[in-house]
Amino acid sequence: RPCHDHNLLSTYIQAMMGGITVSVTVQTLIESGCLSRCAFLFDQDQSLDSSGISGQLQHHDGSDGGENNSPLRILNAVKLSLMLTRTFFQCYNDRKNNSALASLRMDGFVVKLQYSPNADEEDGETSRAGDEHLQSISSVDQFNAITSNGLIQWILLDMDVRYSDVRIPSANMNTATLMQNIGKLLYAIFSQNDAPAPESQHSNGDKDKGIETTRRSPKTRRSAIKSLFQQLIELGYPISVCRLLSDLIDKGTTHHPITSFDDIIRDLEQMNSHPHIFLHNPENEFYTSTIHFGQRYSGRSKELAKLLEITTVPNERNFGLETIFVSGMAGSGKSHLVSAVGSFVSNFGFMVLTAKFKRGMEYKSREIVSTLMDKMVTNLVEMKDSDNESDIEYSLQAARAISNALDADSLSSLVDFVPSIQGLIPEAVRKENSGCTHWQLVFLLSKLLGSVLRQKRKIFLALDDLQWTDPTTLGLMSEVLTSICQYPEERQHLVFVGMYRDNEVSSDLMSFTTSFVNLEVHGSANVTDVKLSSLSLDDVTEMIMSELRLPRRLVSELADVVHKRTHGHALFVVQLLNSLVSDSTIAYSPMNHRFYWDQDTVCILKTADSVASLIVSKLTSLPVGELQCLRIISCFGIQVQSDLLELLEGF
């Protein structure tokens, strides 16, 4: 019954704000409209604040969707639906009261929630209340009173089933019946009411119009048919939600009926874990021309999580230099993995510096390191004109620290190797014949890098293709980093990443990596080796899911073929998928709001068996004129001047 004793209700709310667990039926929950006003969390989501949750989703169709289809409400509905499906599945596995499962409604599910204070209310963690503190909410008024003062966070703890006396004869209960019923339950959550889900209009029309329907022309009858999926699209629900509900409920028109609880749970887990991919409407930006596999990072989630933990979580053992070596075969995705880590940590204030050595250009290794150091100083120079006061102060402090560490002659010698130092420290003037020896350069670079690191802003320094570095430059970098390791206030603010091909390791490179292992023994470095093998089937599946924005159940067969044909080689996987897009084997269907492909066509495709044959196959697909230009350019070696390209432009 509604509670009209406001004093009692106020006391009750104050008690509940202390972390007391409450129970409420799902029907009361959705009728209260709290899905649009509250933020639901699972235990693993507690680190998110309410503003972060409500801002996770962005509509891409130019409209706000209204309160009924707001991003916050849809994400809350996904979480609640996921918990309900897991509870339903558990009851099905227990083989108890299965005859009642097909008749369950919203008032048959009781969810336990716990109030979660946001950062403005409480800094500490909320203790998890036990069942002895359980309070039951029996009316919409009670819940609305609790959620009337701004956005409240609720932790979804558990859900129970309260069976009714209604039973469906066991002879009429099958998997299809259960799937349809759970689909209707999920529809009630997303629509925020307990009304029946709409049915395909052709079935209702036949009933209502009777024999008149048969008098229409076939063309008219076909145009009058509207599937549940199309109706849900018109109501403004995200496409992934429309697809899930229609595949559960509308068995007559869907081509992919769901027959497994696992498929439902996986669909909902995708939406919950990656709402920016699976819960936004891609209509205005999501066509075949925009699809390019390999640009977005996907797959290798374990390796990515490991590297992110190393770079962002302080090491409790010591403050050693975090050193990461990533190795693997050519095209295994080393650069892509490290680039993803660099992009992530740049959002946390890291200065990201990267350099790539080149085959056949070992003699330019020292120049590449020079460019790397120059980029660091250039970043500091640009910060002087930043709108961010902390950046300006950081730049000024770094400049003062460098000036104090190096005298005028040292700065003059450094100008040859790091030209941009003149923009940071005007007193640094280049002198004639100011070149320096190897050990002088080690000293200068150690002081330069160390002075910047002492300003307590982290630097992410990544060197790619170390197997093509000349021995002298490897020795230079080893000595500089070893020097940094001697000072805790410097090494704790640096993350060094080295990438190399594991089948091209020279004795010099082996010595380079071993030197850090020796530093680890003395506690001044923490070394992590990441060896990349072939992509797993799950990695390939995740890549296809993320790029095509489709659930696992719809891409599993395609992923299986791609994985088998490429043996999980990352470069081959990306190239094969992009070739399927470029030749329209994978094509977007605006009518069906998804990508389609012919599985039989995919199965008979030929793939390259090496990087060289892959490059040859790509070259032979070029126009004759472009291929002829490449033949001419190849006569000049591994690089040419831009002037030659201009001469060949009209060739």
Side-chain angles (χ1 to χ4, degrees):
R1 294 178 300 173
C3 177
H4 299 290
D5 188 337
H6 295 288
N7 292 329
L8 177 62
L9 185 59
S10 176
T11 302
Y12 169 73
I13 293 173
Q14 291 176 7
M16 204 192 70
M17 294 298 106
I20 293 179
T21 305
V22 301
S23 67
V24 59
T25 67
V26 174
Q27 180 174 345
T28 300
L29 203 62
I30 61 178
E31 287 180 353
S32 70
C34 72
L35 271 68
S36 300
R37 300 192 306 273
C38 301
F40 289 169
L41 308 173
F42 291 120
D43 282 341
Q44 62 269 26
D45 299 332
Q46 290 189 48
S47 60
L48 296 174
D49 58 22
S50 58
S51 61
I53 297 168
S54 60
Q56 282 188 58
L57 298 176
Q58 296 293 332
H59 281 276
H60 293 262
D61 58 359
S63 64
D64 59 9
E67 182 179 300
N68 287 339
N69 289 324
S70 68
L72 177 64
R73 191 190 71 78
I74 292 296
L75 185 56
N76 283 336
V78 167
K79 292 178 182 291
L80 196 59
S81 297
L82 180 55
M83 176 169 274
L84 185 144
T85 304
R86 287 171 174 166
T87 303
F88 199 104
F89 185 34
Q90 184 61 49
C91 294
Y92 178 77
N93 281 338
D94 291 342
R95 302 294 179 184
K96 296 177 181 178
N97 297 316
N98 274 358
S99 60
L101 284 176
S103 59
L104 279 173
R105 294 177 63 85
M106 288 291 97
D107 56 0
F109 293 88
V110 180
V111 61
K112 295 178 183 177
L113 309 106
Q114 185 181 45
Y115 172 74
S116 174
N118 57 40
D120 295 333
E121 297 171 327
E122 182 177 322
D123 295 330
E125 294 184 358
T126 303
S127 60
R128 187 161 173 162
D131 286 343
E132 65 272 12
H133 302 294
L134 183 65
Q135 301 286 344
S136 178
I137 294 179
S138 58
S139 73
V140 172
D141 281 1
Q142 285 179 303
F143 211 90
N144 282 341
I146 295 170
T147 61
S148 61
N149 296 323
L151 186 64
I152 291 181
Q153 297 182 27
W154 291 98
I155 301 173
L156 297 170
L157 299 179
D158 195 10
M159 186 178 288
D160 295 321
V161 173
R162 186 170 62 193
Y163 293 101
S164 66
D165 295 331
V166 180
R167 294 289 188 275
I168 289 182
S170 57
N172 297 332
M173 190 190 69
N174 52 38
T175 302
T177 303
L178 289 176
M179 293 295 111
Q180 284 187 325
N181 189 52
I182 197 170
K184 293 174 182 177
L185 292 172
L186 300 190
Y187 171 79
I189 293 176
F190 281 101
S191 63
Q192 216 164 238
N193 64 68
D194 204 21
E199 298 180 2
S200 296
Q201 291 183 0
H202 69 283
S203 59
N204 288 337
D206 290 346
K207 287 181 181 179
D208 297 337
K209 304 293 183 179
I211 194 169
E212 292 182 8
T213 305
T214 62
R215 294 175 182 172
R216 298 176 182 171
S217 67
K219 181 176 180 180
T220 303
R221 289 202 303 273
R222 283 195 299 270
S223 63
I225 295 175
K226 186 176 292 185
S227 67
L228 173 60
F229 177 79
Q230 293 170 317
Q231 294 179 67
L232 294 173
I233 289 289
E234 292 176 359
L235 291 173
Y237 294 106
I239 292 173
S240 56
V241 173
C242 300
R243 182 179 295 114
L244 172 64
L245 295 178
S246 62
D247 287 351
L248 281 168
I249 302 171
D250 197 359
K251 303 295 183 181
T253 60
T254 181
H255 297 292
H256 303 279
I258 296 178
T259 58
S260 165
F261 283 100
D262 287 338
D263 286 340
I264 307 173
I265 292 173
R266 284 173 178 170
D267 276 27
L268 292 169
E269 285 177 342
Q270 284 176 342
M271 300 177 204
N272 179 56
S273 301
H274 307 286
H276 58 290
I277 296 177
F278 295 104
L279 278 184
H280 81 270
N281 195 329
E283 290 277 314
N284 293 335
E285 64 174 48
F286 196 44
Y287 293 97
T288 306
S289 60
T290 66
I291 293 298
H292 188 80
F293 289 92
Q295 290 184 335
R296 188 203 318 267
Y297 186 83
S298 56
R300 299 202 187 278
S301 55
K302 293 181 180 179
E303 291 88 348
L304 180 61
K306 182 178 181 179
L307 295 189
L308 290 178
E309 181 180 5
I310 292 171
T311 54
T312 58
V313 179
N315 193 310
E316 297 179 355
R317 297 174 299 166
N318 55 57
F319 294 106
L321 169 63
E322 292 295 349
T323 307
I324 304 168
F325 289 110
V326 182
S327 60
M329 69 180 77
S332 59
K334 303 181 293 296
S335 304
H336 206 37
L337 172 63
V338 175
S339 176
V341 177
S343 297
F344 183 85
V345 299
S346 65
N347 297 320
F348 289 83
F350 280 63
M351 182 191 294
V352 178
L353 303 172
T354 61
K356 185 179 181 69
F357 299 99
K358 301 177 182 180
R359 182 197 294 272
M361 300 179 66
E362 289 82 357
Y363 64 93
K364 284 199 170 185
S365 297
R366 177 173 161 140
E367 181 181 326
I368 291 173
V369 174
S370 170
T371 303
L372 182 72
M373 293 292 103
D374 196 62
K375 177 61 178 174
M376 179 185 71
V377 177
T378 299
N379 289 342
L380 295 173
V381 174
E382 293 174 349
M383 289 180 187
K384 292 168 61 177
D385 299 323
S386 172
D387 295 331
N388 189 315
E389 292 185 3
S390 63
D391 285 345
I392 297 174
E393 183 62 25
Y394 173 65
S395 175
L396 294 175
Q397 289 178 351
R400 285 194 293 267
I402 296 170
S403 297
N404 293 333
L406 298 173
D407 58 25
D409 290 337
S410 297
L411 288 173
S412 298
S413 300
L414 189 60
V415 171
D416 281 337
F417 199 78
V418 186
S420 60
I421 196 72
Q422 291 178 299
L424 185 67
I425 305 174
E427 295 80 12
V429 180
R430 183 180 182 277
K431 295 181 180 180
E432 294 295 332
N433 301 319
S434 58
C436 51
T437 66
H438 172 83
W439 290 108
Q440 287 175 329
L441 188 57
V442 169
F443 171 79
L444 294 175
L445 294 183
S446 299
K447 290 297 183 181
L448 172 64
L449 182 58
S451 298
V452 178
L453 290 171
R454 287 173 181 265
Q455 308 315 307
K456 300 180 180 180
R457 183 176 291 195
K458 286 200 169 186
I459 294 178
F460 182 86
L461 194 157
L463 298 178
D464 199 357
D465 283 329
L466 286 173
Q467 74 279 355
W468 294 330
T469 312
D470 77 291
T472 303
T473 304
L474 275 177
L476 173 65
M477 292 304 302
S478 177
E479 294 295 341
V480 170
L481 294 173
T482 299
S483 176
I484 296 297
C485 285
Q486 307 311 310
Y487 305 98
E489 60 272 24
E490 296 177 8
R491 69 194 187 208
Q492 64 179 306
H493 297 118
L494 177 64
V495 176
F496 172 70
V497 183
M499 294 159 275
Y500 61 90
R501 296 184 181 181
D502 54 9
N503 61 337
E504 300 183 33
V505 179
S506 64
S507 58
D508 295 309
L509 179 55
M510 182 65 69
S511 299
F512 179 75
T513 58
T514 303
S515 65
F516 290 94
V517 176
N518 295 332
L519 291 171
E520 185 176 32
V521 173
H522 295 91
S524 55
N526 304 312
V527 181
T528 303
D529 284 309
V530 178
K531 300 183 184 298
L532 299 186
S533 56
S534 299
L535 293 174
S536 66
L537 176 58
D538 282 342
D539 290 331
V540 176
T541 303
E542 181 184 335
M543 181 185 298
I544 298 174
M545 285 163 44
S546 299
E547 203 62 51
L548 302 186
R549 297 169 195 181
L550 290 173
R552 180 180 295 269
R553 58 190 171 86
L554 296 184
V555 305
S556 58
E557 290 185 358
L558 173 62
D560 186 58
V561 172
V562 170
H563 185 259
K564 288 179 178 177
R565 301 305 295 270
T566 61
H567 303 288
H569 191 290
L571 179 61
F572 293 167
V573 169
V574 170
Q575 292 292 341
L576 175 57
L577 289 171
N578 283 329
S579 68
L580 295 177
V581 173
S582 62
D583 64 14
S584 298
T585 301
I586 296 178
Y588 186 74
S589 169
M591 179 179 296
N592 295 289
H593 302 273
R594 58 156 293 188
F595 281 89
Y596 271 101
W597 57 88
D598 182 73
Q599 192 68 26
D600 294 334
T601 302
V602 173
C603 290
I604 63 175
L605 288 174
K606 295 182 179 180
T607 57
D609 57 1
S610 68
V611 176
S613 58
L614 175 64
I615 294 174
V616 170
S617 66
K618 297 289 288 184
L619 288 175
T620 54
S621 65
L622 292 174
V624 176
E626 294 180 10
L627 194 56
Q628 182 64 20
C629 287
L630 282 176
R631 289 194 182 101
I632 296 173
I633 291 173
S634 67
C635 299
F636 291 84
I638 59 176
Q639 66 178 4
V640 296
Q641 298 296 324
S642 58
D643 294 343
L644 178 60
L645 298 180
E646 293 175 1
L647 289 173
L648 293 172
E649 186 175 3
F651 182 78

